[in-house]
């Protein structure tokens, strides 16, 4: 089957030799290599490729005599993303895109074109690893972020999204909501590696998404006073590392107390000298909860603890949200259609909630969306250890092909 060849051809792009993890950040040479891979895979299948105004990739299998999906075309789209978190795994994102091409191969063997346009999408900057806003490509497409705000987003080196796009040959002036494109899409189904162990515990290879927990990221900047680690007395210090540490511990406590999740996975200490009290510590809090009240309570508890600790150490604190995504329930009608497509072919697929954000969640505000999950035996994700067994990947392709067949031919 074509999955293995597609998978192998994508695998070397952006892989770091020392960590074994992926560094596929948007609008970099690695990103360009992923885009070239997508374009090649589409060309090999006679699919029509276009890059939309927001830098998302689309490959179209057109019904006879119908080249551009028009408003109301009820196109059926599947896909995911090709970018990664720093040192991310091979499966998060690419599994959905590779499975989409492999599912198209399964359907092409049946010999006739779809009744409705069938598209494969790869959304740009889903992880927010470079510009700090998750699902940036689908947010721009669906109007969930202001284009001017997006253009000015800086990466860690101070390069803005507009500058990075322009350097990669994409006009940043055109970004923003694309109602015409969305009006042509009737359904978006995203296949994704599971980022947890629910399917492993249920002994099922495939699951169907029910909802995405509300989640967001908050930035905390603690500003103190740089000083000498050997001469500044403890009493005289204004050390921003201390309230930062209190905030990290508070995040763990708040999450445990509320049945939620909270993580501080990124921190920058400046100037970063071993023998100096830091001038400033910037940290990012990622928080997720089963509902919005719980999420609010967790974040309030962390920020309150951070403020109290900052005040007691005479440190300034500036804190605020970078992006917040409300709870998303996938379209119940589309979910039912997925469930019956799979049941008709004897594929067992339990329904699961998830704490992870996805483009399907952002797009759910505008079009019917649904998700399929493929079992991840360890549950580990955003790490080189992320994994799915080949047999489960094959089940994923068959499940996706079944769903697409019923949606695009039915
Ligand atoms: Zn993903």
């Amino acid at each position: 089957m074509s999955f293995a060849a597609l998978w192998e051809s994508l695998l070397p792009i952006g892989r770091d030799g020392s960590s074994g993890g992926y560094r596929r950040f948007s609008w970099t040479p690695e990103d360009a290599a992923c885009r070239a891979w997508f374009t090649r895979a589409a060309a090999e299948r006679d699919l029509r490729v276009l890059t939309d105004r927001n830098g998302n990739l689309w490959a179209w299998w057109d019904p006879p005599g119908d080249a551009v999906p028009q408003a109301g075309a009820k196109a059926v789209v599947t896909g995911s993303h090709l970018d990664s978190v720093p040192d991310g795994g091979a499966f998060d994102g690419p599994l959905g895109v590779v499975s989409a091409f492999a599912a198209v191969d399964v359907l092409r063997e049946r010999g006739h074109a779809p009744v409705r346009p069938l598209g494969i999408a790869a959304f740009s900057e889903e992880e927010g690893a470079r510009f700090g806003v998750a699902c940036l490509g689908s947010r721009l497409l669906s109007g969930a972020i202001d284009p001017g705000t997006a253009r000015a987003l800086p990466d860690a080196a101070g390069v803005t999204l507009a500058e990075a796009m322009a350097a990669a040959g994409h006009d940043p002036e055109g970004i923003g909501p694309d109602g015409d494109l969305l009006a042509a899409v009737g359904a978006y189904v995203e296949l994704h590696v599971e980022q947890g162990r629910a399917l492993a515990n249920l002994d099922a290879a495939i699951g169907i998404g029910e909802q995405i927990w509300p989640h967001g990221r908050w930035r905390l900047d603690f500003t103190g006073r740089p000083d000498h680690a050997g001469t500044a007395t403890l009493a005289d210090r204004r050390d921003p590392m201390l309230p930062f540490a209190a905030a990290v511990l508070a995040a763990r406590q708040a999450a445990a107390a509320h049945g939620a999740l909270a993580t501080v996975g990124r921190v920058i200490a400046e100037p970063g000298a071993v023998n100096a009290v830091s001038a400033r510590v910037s940290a990012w809090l990622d928080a997720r909860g089963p509902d919005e009240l719980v999420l609010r309570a967790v974040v309030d508890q962390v920020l309150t603890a951070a403020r109290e600790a900052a005040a007691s150490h005479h440190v300034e604190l500036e804190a605020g949200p970078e992006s917040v995504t409300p709870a998303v329930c996938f379209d119940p009608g589309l979910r039912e259609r997925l469930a019956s497509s799979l049941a008709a072919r004897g594929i067992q697929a339990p329904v699961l909630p998830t704490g992870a954000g996805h483009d399907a969640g952002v797009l759910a505000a505008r079009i019917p969306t649904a998700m399929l999950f493929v079992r991840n035996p360890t549950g580990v994700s955003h790490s080189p250890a992320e994994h799915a067994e080949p047999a489960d990947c094959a089940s994923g392709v068959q499940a996706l092909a079944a769903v697409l067949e019923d949606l695009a031919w039915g």
Side-chain angles (χ1 to χ4, degrees):
M1 118 160 171
S2 59
F3 179 90
L6 280 162
W7 187 253
E8 291 298 322
S9 63
L10 179 60
L11 219 45
I13 300 174
R15 183 163 53 192
D16 181 68
S18 55
S19 69
Y22 285 88
R23 296 175 185 177
R24 293 170 176 159
F25 308 135
S26 59
W27 308 110
T28 61
E30 291 75 21
D31 182 62
C34 287
R35 289 168 181 274
W37 171 89
F38 182 97
T39 303
R40 244 184 349 265
E44 285 165 8
R45 291 161 178 80
D46 298 320
L47 305 178
R48 192 167 47 79
V49 178
L50 70 88
T51 305
D52 70 17
R53 292 193 275 106
N54 297 301
N56 306 308
L57 290 166
W58 301 76
W60 287 107
W61 184 1
D62 303 310
D66 197 3
V68 180
Q70 306 288 342
K74 298 208 182 307
V76 177
V77 178
T78 185
S80 192
H81 60 95
L82 294 171
D83 67 317
S84 76
V85 297
D87 286 328
F91 292 81
D92 177 353
L95 183 64
V97 180
V98 170
S99 298
F101 282 116
V104 161
D105 289 343
V106 170
L107 296 169
R108 280 160 60 92
E109 278 170 21
R110 300 178 188 169
H112 49 98
V115 175
R116 276 173 280 288
L118 179 55
I120 298 175
F123 291 100
S124 189
E125 181 82 359
E126 192 275 345
E127 298 288 7
R130 182 165 181 193
F131 294 102
V133 177
C135 301
L136 186 54
S138 56
R139 278 181 206 274
L140 282 165
L141 168 65
S142 59
I145 183 170
D146 170 67
T149 305
R151 273 191 286 271
L153 289 170
D155 71 5
V159 178
T160 65
L161 175 69
E163 291 164 347
M165 274 186 160
H170 187 89
D171 178 11
E173 290 310 310
I175 66 171
D178 195 338
D180 290 347
L181 180 50
L182 282 178
V185 179
Y188 175 63
V189 180
E190 179 167 356
L191 177 145
H192 204 279
V193 68
E194 194 199 350
Q195 295 167 295
R197 286 180 36 81
L199 289 174
N201 292 338
L202 292 165
D203 200 22
I206 304 297
I208 297 175
E210 178 191 40
Q211 60 143 346
I212 299 178
W213 280 13
H215 58 281
R217 354 178 129 179
W218 286 259
R219 176 174 175 152
L220 294 84
D221 290 301
F222 299 91
T223 306
R225 186 180 60 206
D227 216 329
H228 192 296
T231 56
T233 66
L234 296 180
D236 285 344
R237 293 181 184 195
R238 292 172 52 202
D239 185 350
M241 196 63 84
L242 299 168
F244 158 69
V248 175
L249 296 174
R252 172 65 183 229
Q253 286 161 358
H258 289 92
L261 296 166
T263 308
V264 180
R266 180 170 190 221
V267 56
I268 299 172
E270 293 170 282
V274 174
N275 57 356
V277 173
S278 293
R280 180 168 138 126
V281 174
S282 300
W284 283 262
L285 169 72
D286 174 304
R288 299 157 198 254
D291 64 50
E292 266 138 59
L293 280 177
V294 167
L295 178 63
R296 196 66 256 167
V298 168
V299 173
D300 284 348
Q301 193 173 324
V302 177
L303 296 185
T304 300
R307 273 191 206 100
E308 286 172 5
S312 75
H313 291 283
H314 308 290
V315 165
E316 307 288 326
L317 170 61
E318 260 185 64
E322 277 195 337
S323 67
V324 183
T325 306
V328 172
C329 274
F330 294 115
D331 186 81
L334 186 57
R335 194 172 70 217
E336 280 310 307
R337 292 194 67 182
L338 263 61
S340 58
S341 292
L342 300 186
R345 292 158 178 91
I347 302 171
Q348 281 213 13
V351 173
L352 310 173
T354 174
H358 299 285
D359 295 307
V362 171
L363 295 173
R366 299 292 308 277
I367 55 175
T369 67
M371 289 193 75
L372 291 173
F373 293 109
V374 172
R375 172 166 52 193
N376 175 343
T378 63
V380 171
S381 183
H382 285 184
S383 146
E386 183 179 272
H387 185 67
E389 293 294 336
D392 288 350
C393 294
S395 300
V397 172
Q398 293 303 331
L400 185 60
V403 163
L404 297 177
E405 180 175 35
D406 289 353
L407 291 173
W409 276 264

